[in-house]
Amino acid sequence: MQEKLSLAKETKKILQDNGIRLNKNLGQNYLIDDFKRKKIINYGNLGKDDVVLEIGPGIGTLTIELAKRSKKVIAIEQDTTIFNILKDRLAKEGITNVELINGDAVKVDFPKFNKIVSNLPYQISSPISFKFLEYDFDTAILMYQKEFADRMNGKVGTKQYSRLSAMLYYKADIEFLTKVSPESFIPSPKVDSAVIKLTPKELDKSISKEDYKIYSKVVKALFQHKNKKARNALIDSRKEVGFKDKKELKQILNQAEDENPELKTLLLERTVKLSPEDIMKIAIILKNNL
Ligand code: SAH
């Protein structure tokens, strides 16, 4: 309790001393719960060889602890005022193994790293997660809105099953680690948060990069109409799979269904009932036509 108070007090003092009012539009919800901070740092399982990427370090609540336990931290903060506060703070604490970058993490190239630990700005959850997956790294410990974390791991047929779940299915393993309640932050967000562990995985050997590209398009089209039958969803979102003309796509589907009865069965299901494997089958069957 004592320590929790001290992180909360310390955070409020730094913000007050610098005349900062946190900006909700930038997803500025600063962690003030020392118990959860310790947990997050421990999940990182850091050693002196690790180079840690942190997105949205804020005033350094995680950054300083990460720096003490790793070889180096690369921290990318968009808010220039906050960036400068953190820069001064690191200098004062004598911490020299943090590379601070002032920029939009969605846009800047990441220097080389092997782990990620971040309490993310929630408004960039989706683009930043897909960007992470373009890089080669070992593991990521990430805090998201709980609802988003649930969708990352959404199971077929459930409310949480989404484009995000289907896209991540082939790219990463997602493990739920702990829930974090609104009071653990200032200002308190309206929703619960969750910490997850994300471990990138290689595509199955049977699936080529090209297959995954088509799969991405089919997933995008299908999940625009999650509760429709897949066939209708594809036709309604034909733009996503490269078609302007309804008739033309219908013809192609008819022909493909004639050649492949399994396709017909799959396309009669509602999107939400199709597993990622089912959707991959559809993508591969249609690959030469889409
Ligand atoms: N890690 C800190 C702060 C989390 S709040 C803590 O746990 O207390 C998220 C931080 O991300 C804020 O400081 C915000 O300014 C920053 N941020 C918001 N959008 C960003 C973006 N696109 N790129 C980099 N940083 C961003």
Side-chain angles (χ1 to χ4, degrees), residues 197-260:
K197 178 175 178 177
L198 181 151
T199 313
K201 63 180 183 195
E202 296 280 324
L203 278 180
D204 267 26
K205 285 210 175 62
S206 60
I207 299 166
S208 69
K209 279 209 170 131
E210 201 49 42
D211 293 343
Y212 187 78
K213 250 196 204 156
I214 307 269
Y215 172 80
S216 313
K217 288 186 191 170
V218 173
V219 165
K220 187 167 183 198
L222 290 179
F223 279 95
Q224 286 180 1
H225 310 279
K226 192 174 153 178
N227 291 312
K228 282 194 180 173
K229 286 186 178 154
R231 194 178 202 279
N232 297 333
L234 268 185
I235 292 168
D236 285 356
S237 292
R238 57 192 171 280
K239 262 200 343 228
E240 305 297 347
V241 286
F243 284 84
K244 272 206 198 102
D245 186 42
K246 214 178 195 174
K247 253 197 201 152
E248 194 191 343
L249 179 58
K250 276 187 177 174
Q251 255 171 13
I252 284 177
L253 291 180
N254 287 343
Q255 199 183 339
E257 283 174 344
D258 284 345
E259 285 163 16
N260 196 321

Side-chain angles (χ1 to χ4, degrees), residues 26-31 56-58 76-78 103-105 119 121 123:
L26 276 178
Q28 293 179 335
N29 297 106
Y30 285 8
L31 188 66
I76 307 177
E77 172 59 56
Q78 184 173 30
D104 178 348
N119 168 21
Q123 84 284 4

